[in-house]
Amino acid sequence: MLKVAIEEAGYEKRESKIREIAFEVKSGELLGLLGSNGAGKSTTIKTILGLLKEWKGNVTFENETRYAYVPEQPVFYDSLTLWEHLELAAAATSLADESWQERAQDLIRYFQLENVVHHLPSSFSKGMRQKVMLITAFMLQPDVYIIDEPFLGLDPRATKDFLKLIEKERARGAAILMCTHVLDTAERVCDRFVLLSNGTLLAKGSLQEMREQSGLEIDSSLLDCVDTLMEQRI
Amino acid sequence: MTSFQLLQQRVSDDRRYKIRDLKAALDWTVWLYILIPALVIGVAYYRSWWLVVPDWLAVIPEQAAVFPLFLIATTWSFRIYTEEADQVYLLQSAVLSKGLKKWGMAHSLLKGMLVTFFGIGVALPLLITGWGWSVERVAVTGLFLLLISWNAKTCRYFIDLFVPSIWVKWIPVGCVNLLSIVILVVVSQVGWKFEWAVVSGSGSLLLLLFVQLRARVKMRGTFFHEAVIERGHKQSITKFLMGNVGVAPATLFVRKQPFLFRGSKRIRKKRFPQTRMIDLYTKWLLRSVGKMHYYLQVIGWGTAAILLLPLVVKVVVLLFALYALIGLSRADWREFSEGSYSQLFQWETSLHEEAEKQALKLVSMPSFLLLCFVTGFSFPGWMGLLLFPLGGWFVFKMAHRGMQTGKWQDSKGI
């Protein structure tokens, strides 16, 4: 669904922040993009979304694949209500009313935002804002999800609800690229991982392959693998 | 660190922030062609006022002098230099936070005094050589101007703190200003002659100031309001220079529901995606007071210029207004369609182009036709009323086609 082969990318000319990063996300797969602060996760995502000018390489969405992006920091228009934001997303992607309204209402109920549906999201709490971002993405039912730190600000119930939806979407055949620091959850839900360090690819593969690359035992956790791989790099 | 040193640091940070903004806006060309010539001309005029009374002063009653004096004397702000991070680092130390408050207030009052003296200094030649005021009269008026500016600004601070609505706020502010001006007029006209009135009046104003300052020091639970007010003061130069562009508005209370089209009601019933898109763009635009303000300014100034200026210039103004209206529409549409939220999903390219065509006409076309109608009205004879709106419609179509971006794909690098 999504093939990424970045030679180099950065915010200014001749100042690349990430180099030689290649991976792919298949249909129905959940890929975890891992790395410490400043490792280059957000730059990788921005490169995939085409938001950077200075980059070399290839990013391919197969066969007119549609994507939706959930950013780490929720973003809104100051003067549009929650419902109007969803209406805008639906209109911009040419969804007919009958194909998005019911789904949007279901998602609003699912994330318990029915009381604020005609309120301005700029007045919401952090967790509520994050929920609106998730609702926007799930409402569009894209082929690829690009999700940056989805757990920030979400309460345990909302986190559980989000993971359930992710499972549903994978079953539908959607490919998911999820960038996160919450390694125990990532270990439970992701099929494969890509570990970045200092703007380069440090390791990639399933949990088993990560264990092999880090030289750890068969029951080691993802956190142990990541920690060991990072130490080996230092 | 003592509270006085803390104040010094905050004042210097504030000054650096503002100078940086001013430097960005005022490059050498502005200094060379506007500011330095204006300063030289200003000084020359000021010097001439001491020597010869300007002619225009004869038609201005001396009571009117208090209006500009009051305006100048209240250009300062009552500040206590709170910052949001103080909730973590400073509030634990009662001595430091209370000290910062006191020094901040003292610093503000000192600024008020300097500004008031400057105002009196500027008006001095007009007062003494123009209206023939005695030194005693100027001194008493100056003293009351200072006390009134201190009290009015402190009072304004309380109003900012306790009246959240920007519309309701102007009622108490207006009352305070009106009362201040009335007192100043009375003092400068008759009050200055009576010693008892001067002593009792200034004593009362000092007592009122003392009560307000004491109340301010004792007040609790206003930290977040103060932090927002302070942020507003810190960004005042940016806001002045940039208007509503790129400056995050510092509001005390966040609006939960929009004031127009509540309940997410649709404007038009049609279900086509481009109709929905234009509907949402219209709501976004009409709910953004700052953006509508720009359009109203173009219409207002354009109307005034068209009605007042000579025939040929009217047409030039009309063309400038057309250029400004299309430019504004274009900038607004770009802001809407390329905002962070709309980067979260892929737009249908054809839909974007179709919606853009309609969006660019939405406000600019009726505004321009209104100005065409005003131009036609101000031309002699009835032909203007017919020709200008018709011609305007044709010119708008041409200009719109020429200036329409239509290059969204290029701008997105697709």
Side-chain angles (χ1 to χ4, degrees), chain B residues 253-272:
Chain B
F253 295 93
V254 179
R255 182 179 280 281
K256 283 190 176 166
Q257 292 190 59
F259 64 98
L260 285 173
F261 312 110
R262 283 190 169 210
S264 312
K265 283 189 191 104
R266 289 181 168 182
I267 301 173
R268 287 181 293 176
K269 290 216 161 51
K270 281 184 191 165
R271 291 174 161 203
F272 305 119

Short mmCIF file of all heavy atoms in Angstrom, two decimals, chain B residues 253-272:
data_model
loop_
_atom_site.label_atom_id
_atom_site.label_comp_id
_atom_site.label_asym_id
_atom_site.label_seq_id
_atom_site.Cartn_x
_atom_site.Cartn_y
_atom_site.Cartn_z
N PHE B 253 -11.53 34.31 27.78
CA PHE B 253 -12.51 33.23 27.78
C PHE B 253 -12.64 32.67 26.37
O PHE B 253 -12.80 33.42 25.42
CB PHE B 253 -13.86 33.74 28.27
CG PHE B 253 -13.81 34.16 29.70
CD1 PHE B 253 -13.55 35.47 30.03
CD2 PHE B 253 -13.97 33.24 30.71
CE1 PHE B 253 -13.47 35.88 31.34
CE2 PHE B 253 -13.87 33.62 32.03
CZ PHE B 253 -13.62 34.95 32.36
N VAL B 254 -12.55 31.34 26.27
CA VAL B 254 -12.63 30.73 24.95
C VAL B 254 -14.09 30.51 24.60
O VAL B 254 -14.85 29.96 25.40
CB VAL B 254 -11.87 29.39 24.96
CG1 VAL B 254 -11.96 28.71 23.60
CG2 VAL B 254 -10.42 29.61 25.35
N ARG B 255 -14.49 30.98 23.42
CA ARG B 255 -15.87 30.81 22.97
C ARG B 255 -16.13 29.33 22.69
O ARG B 255 -15.34 28.67 22.02
CB ARG B 255 -16.07 31.64 21.71
CG ARG B 255 -17.46 31.60 21.15
CD ARG B 255 -17.54 32.47 19.91
NE ARG B 255 -17.68 33.87 20.27
CZ ARG B 255 -18.82 34.43 20.64
NH1 ARG B 255 -19.91 33.70 20.71
NH2 ARG B 255 -18.88 35.69 20.96
N LYS B 256 -17.27 28.80 23.22
CA LYS B 256 -17.56 27.38 23.02
C LYS B 256 -18.34 27.13 21.74
O LYS B 256 -18.16 26.13 21.08
CB LYS B 256 -18.36 26.84 24.21
CG LYS B 256 -17.49 26.61 25.43
CD LYS B 256 -18.23 25.86 26.49
CE LYS B 256 -17.29 25.56 27.64
NZ LYS B 256 -18.00 25.14 28.83
N GLN B 257 -19.25 28.05 21.44
CA GLN B 257 -20.06 27.89 20.22
C GLN B 257 -19.89 29.13 19.36
O GLN B 257 -19.70 30.22 19.88
CB GLN B 257 -21.53 27.74 20.60
CG GLN B 257 -21.81 26.44 21.31
CD GLN B 257 -23.31 26.21 21.45
OE1 GLN B 257 -24.02 26.15 20.46
NE2 GLN B 257 -23.76 26.09 22.67
N PRO B 258 -19.99 28.97 18.04
CA PRO B 258 -19.84 30.15 17.19
C PRO B 258 -21.02 31.11 17.37
O PRO B 258 -22.11 30.68 17.76
CB PRO B 258 -19.85 29.57 15.78
CG PRO B 258 -20.49 28.24 15.90
CD PRO B 258 -20.23 27.73 17.28
N PHE B 259 -20.80 32.39 17.10
CA PHE B 259 -21.89 33.36 17.27
C PHE B 259 -22.79 33.45 16.04
O PHE B 259 -23.87 34.01 16.10
CB PHE B 259 -21.35 34.74 17.68
CG PHE B 259 -20.47 35.39 16.64
CD1 PHE B 259 -20.98 36.33 15.77
CD2 PHE B 259 -19.13 35.05 16.54
CE1 PHE B 259 -20.16 36.91 14.81
CE2 PHE B 259 -18.32 35.63 15.59
CZ PHE B 259 -18.83 36.56 14.73
N LEU B 260 -22.33 32.88 14.93
CA LEU B 260 -23.17 32.85 13.72
C LEU B 260 -23.36 31.39 13.30
O LEU B 260 -22.47 30.57 13.50
CB LEU B 260 -22.49 33.59 12.57
CG LEU B 260 -22.46 35.10 12.60
CD1 LEU B 260 -21.59 35.62 11.47
CD2 LEU B 260 -23.84 35.68 12.48
N PHE B 261 -24.50 31.08 12.71
CA PHE B 261 -24.81 29.72 12.23
C PHE B 261 -24.60 28.68 13.32
O PHE B 261 -23.86 27.71 13.14
CB PHE B 261 -23.95 29.37 11.00
CG PHE B 261 -23.92 30.42 9.95
CD1 PHE B 261 -22.77 31.16 9.71
CD2 PHE B 261 -25.05 30.71 9.20
CE1 PHE B 261 -22.72 32.15 8.76
CE2 PHE B 261 -25.02 31.70 8.24
CZ PHE B 261 -23.86 32.43 8.01
N ARG B 262 -25.25 28.88 14.44
CA ARG B 262 -25.12 27.91 15.54
C ARG B 262 -25.74 26.58 15.15
O ARG B 262 -26.60 26.52 14.29
CB ARG B 262 -25.81 28.46 16.78
CG ARG B 262 -24.97 29.51 17.46
CD ARG B 262 -25.52 29.86 18.80
NE ARG B 262 -24.55 30.66 19.50
CZ ARG B 262 -24.42 30.67 20.82
NH1 ARG B 262 -25.21 29.93 21.56
NH2 ARG B 262 -23.52 31.42 21.39
N GLY B 263 -25.31 25.53 15.83
CA GLY B 263 -25.86 24.20 15.56
C GLY B 263 -25.36 23.65 14.23
O GLY B 263 -25.98 22.75 13.67
N SER B 264 -24.25 24.17 13.71
CA SER B 264 -23.64 23.72 12.44
C SER B 264 -24.64 23.73 11.29
O SER B 264 -24.58 22.89 10.39
CB SER B 264 -23.04 22.32 12.59
OG SER B 264 -22.25 22.21 13.73
N LYS B 265 -25.61 24.66 11.33
CA LYS B 265 -26.65 24.69 10.28
C LYS B 265 -26.02 25.04 8.92
O LYS B 265 -25.16 25.92 8.85
CB LYS B 265 -27.70 25.76 10.62
CG LYS B 265 -28.66 25.29 11.68
CD LYS B 265 -29.81 26.28 11.83
CE LYS B 265 -30.61 25.96 13.07
NZ LYS B 265 -30.35 26.86 14.18
N ARG B 266 -26.51 24.38 7.89
CA ARG B 266 -25.99 24.65 6.55
C ARG B 266 -26.62 25.93 6.00
O ARG B 266 -27.78 26.22 6.30
CB ARG B 266 -26.31 23.49 5.62
CG ARG B 266 -25.49 22.26 5.95
CD ARG B 266 -25.79 21.12 5.00
NE ARG B 266 -24.79 20.08 5.15
CZ ARG B 266 -24.77 18.97 4.44
NH1 ARG B 266 -25.69 18.75 3.52
NH2 ARG B 266 -23.83 18.07 4.64
N ILE B 267 -25.87 26.64 5.18
CA ILE B 267 -26.42 27.87 4.59
C ILE B 267 -27.29 27.51 3.39
O ILE B 267 -28.39 28.00 3.24
CB ILE B 267 -25.27 28.82 4.17
CG1 ILE B 267 -24.41 29.18 5.38
CG2 ILE B 267 -25.85 30.10 3.55
CD1 ILE B 267 -23.17 29.97 5.03
N ARG B 268 -26.78 26.62 2.56
CA ARG B 268 -27.56 26.19 1.38
C ARG B 268 -27.87 24.70 1.48
O ARG B 268 -27.13 23.95 2.10
CB ARG B 268 -26.74 26.47 0.11
CG ARG B 268 -26.69 27.95 -0.20
CD ARG B 268 -25.91 28.20 -1.47
NE ARG B 268 -24.49 27.88 -1.29
CZ ARG B 268 -23.61 27.94 -2.29
NH1 ARG B 268 -23.99 28.26 -3.50
NH2 ARG B 268 -22.34 27.65 -2.06
N LYS B 269 -28.98 24.31 0.84
CA LYS B 269 -29.43 22.92 0.99
C LYS B 269 -28.75 21.95 0.02
O LYS B 269 -28.76 20.75 0.24
CB LYS B 269 -30.95 22.87 0.82
CG LYS B 269 -31.72 23.50 1.96
CD LYS B 269 -32.99 22.75 2.26
CE LYS B 269 -33.56 23.04 3.64
NZ LYS B 269 -33.72 24.43 3.96
N LYS B 270 -28.14 22.50 -1.04
CA LYS B 270 -27.55 21.62 -2.06
C LYS B 270 -26.49 20.72 -1.42
O LYS B 270 -25.76 21.14 -0.52
CB LYS B 270 -26.89 22.47 -3.15
CG LYS B 270 -27.88 23.03 -4.12
CD LYS B 270 -27.14 23.77 -5.22
CE LYS B 270 -28.07 24.59 -6.07
NZ LYS B 270 -27.36 25.57 -6.88
N ARG B 271 -26.37 19.48 -1.95
CA ARG B 271 -25.48 18.52 -1.31
C ARG B 271 -24.16 18.31 -2.06
O ARG B 271 -23.38 17.46 -1.66
CB ARG B 271 -26.20 17.18 -1.19
CG ARG B 271 -27.34 17.20 -0.22
CD ARG B 271 -28.07 15.90 -0.29
NE ARG B 271 -28.87 15.71 0.91
CZ ARG B 271 -29.25 14.53 1.35
NH1 ARG B 271 -28.88 13.44 0.72
NH2 ARG B 271 -30.00 14.42 2.43
N PHE B 272 -23.94 19.06 -3.15
CA PHE B 272 -22.70 18.85 -3.90
C PHE B 272 -21.50 19.20 -3.01
O PHE B 272 -21.56 20.18 -2.25
CB PHE B 272 -22.65 19.74 -5.14
CG PHE B 272 -23.82 19.55 -6.04
CD1 PHE B 272 -24.68 20.60 -6.32
CD2 PHE B 272 -24.09 18.30 -6.60
CE1 PHE B 272 -25.77 20.44 -7.14
CE2 PHE B 272 -25.19 18.14 -7.43
CZ PHE B 272 -26.04 19.20 -7.70
#
